[in-house]
Amino acid sequence: MTPVVALIFGMLGLGAVLAMIRLALGPSLLDRVVATDTILVIVTAGLAVHAAVNRDPTVVPVLVVVALLVFVGAISVARYVGGMLLRTGADVEELGVSPAAEQVQGHEGTERP
Amino acid sequence: MNDVESLADWIALACLLTGAFLCLTAGVGLLRFPDVLSRMHAGTKPQVMGVLLIMVGGAIRLSGWSATWMLLLVAVFQLITAPVNAHMVSRIAYRRGHVGRDSLFVDELGVAPRGAEVTAGEEGRRGDQPADAPIGDETEPQVDEDDGAGDQAVDEPAREPRG
């Protein structure tokens, strides 16, 4: 059974590495939020796989904490970015905007308060 | 995994393998997709389906009801929080313009007037408006002042001049 377990952990690790590449590359803050969500979910999955493979229930409460952390982290960063949108209005360049935003003309409002 | 002998262990192993494969697809999709909404589409695959499969696999493998209930708690919590999470992130992504307009078939928010949240921020009013809030200012203070009433009673007079 060891090759199957190695395959499971390999797929989890490769997914986490790819999400970390997106976390490093991500042109905007929201890309990084989505990548962080995915990384934390993969961490949850890895802990659960470890618990299931070794029949070790001691890491199971950690799953609840990490699942809570995913929600609170993403919601707070999303609220923070929305607050920046309200506060500053027009400066989309400071957060790093995706190329898709350059196709949108006049979406963000043009005047700065 | 040193003791796989029964059918239930093989089923658990298949669940774990499928969940891990979903995590891998999430990573690939995050790296290859063009904008925030499609990256969310890829990245939330393991948030619901992968976590559910892995929790089912863990609940089969682990013995004892405390671990099973805690895994069920994690799964239910993911099911509750994933839509809220995706809604907030995608709403902010739409407002900030991280959406490729040429890849959309229908843009229902595109008919709303632009810049409503910017004008509301300049006037220091409500921090989080609906994405299709109008620019027109005459209904907004009325919404803010009706704090004693319920939500339906607050929303109802504000919605009428909107249409």
Side-chain angles (χ1 to χ4, degrees), chain B:
Chain B
M1 190 169 286
N2 42 11
D3 49 352
V4 174
E5 63 267 11
S6 66
L7 179 63
D9 286 340
W10 286 104
I11 293 173
L13 201 61
C15 287
L16 294 181
L17 199 61
T18 315
F21 179 70
L22 280 175
C23 290
L24 177 64
T25 57
V28 174
L30 270 181
L31 201 58
R32 288 190 56 88
F33 279 174
D35 60 350
V36 176
L37 292 188
S38 50
R39 279 171 195 154
M40 281 178 61
H41 160 70
T44 50
K45 286 292 170 290
Q47 280 195 18
V48 177
M49 200 61 203
V51 163
L52 276 182
L53 282 171
I54 287 178
M55 294 307 152
V56 167
I60 291 173
R61 284 282 295 177
L62 290 174
S63 59
W65 282 104
S66 67
T68 304
W69 285 113
M70 218 170 288
L71 291 176
L72 182 68
L73 177 67
V74 174
V76 169
F77 194 74
Q78 282 290 325
L79 281 182
I80 291 173
T81 58
V84 182
N85 199 342
H87 179 82
M88 297 203 61
V89 173
S90 60
R91 183 176 60 179
I92 300 299
Y94 186 88
R95 287 189 195 167
R96 290 205 63 88
H98 297 294
V99 179
R101 296 303 174 95
D102 49 352
S103 64
L104 295 179
F105 286 109
V106 176
D107 188 7
E108 289 182 345
L109 291 178
V111 299
R114 302 289 180 210
E117 64 271 11
V118 176
T119 58
E122 285 172 357
E123 294 161 9
R125 281 192 278 108
R126 290 189 295 163
D128 200 8
Q129 288 196 337
D132 53 354
I135 292 182
D137 294 326
E138 60 270 12
T139 63
E140 300 295 333
Q142 182 183 359
V143 172
D144 274 345
E145 287 162 3
D146 286 339
D147 283 333
D151 278 343
Q152 277 81 20
V154 173
D155 276 343
E156 215 38 61
R159 191 166 294 160
E160 191 170 337
R162 222 177 261 174

Side-chain angles (χ1 to χ4, degrees), chain A residues 10-24 39 42, chain B residues 23-24 27-28 31:
Chain A
M11 284 198 290
L12 288 175
L14 187 57
V17 165
L18 291 175
M20 275 183 210
I21 293 173
R22 175 50 65 199
L23 181 64
I39 287 173
I42 291 174
Chain B
C23 290
L24 177 64
V28 174
L31 201 58

